[in-house]
Amino acid sequence: MSQPDTMFASSSVPRHLVRGALGLPLMVAAFMLVPWWGPLALLLVAPAAVLLRGCPTCWALGLAQTCAISPRAGAGGSRPPR
């Protein structure tokens, strides 16, 4: 069995969620502030892209990869049996 692709994964799920909580508002702000700041507002895209490791879709893919390789995720998922 081959190893899963972990190109966008983080070392932990909380760390990945923090990166998203910082990067997604920066990405939104970059486009929302264009009417007031002009093209200068688009400079916010650079730190957002670094935090998200690309676009929001890349971040979501990384979240799925991080959840898949997290130590809590077993063969049956992360939910405890009843």
Side-chain angles (χ1 to χ4, degrees), residues 4 63-70 73:
L63 179 60
Q65 290 176 353
T66 304
C67 289
I69 64 170
S70 69

Side-chain angles (χ1 to χ4, degrees), residues 6 11 13-14 16 19 25 29 37 40 44-47 51 54-55 65 68 73 75 77 82:
T6 58
S11 58
V13 174
H16 198 85
R19 283 189 20 244
W37 290 3
L40 188 63
L44 293 175
V45 171
L51 284 167
C55 63
Q65 290 176 353
R82 290 186 181 206

Side-chain angles (χ1 to χ4, degrees), residues 1-16:
M1 185 167 166
S2 65
Q3 295 288 69
D5 182 23
T6 58
M7 182 175 173
F8 297 105
S10 293
S11 58
S12 69
V13 174
R15 180 174 290 178
H16 198 85

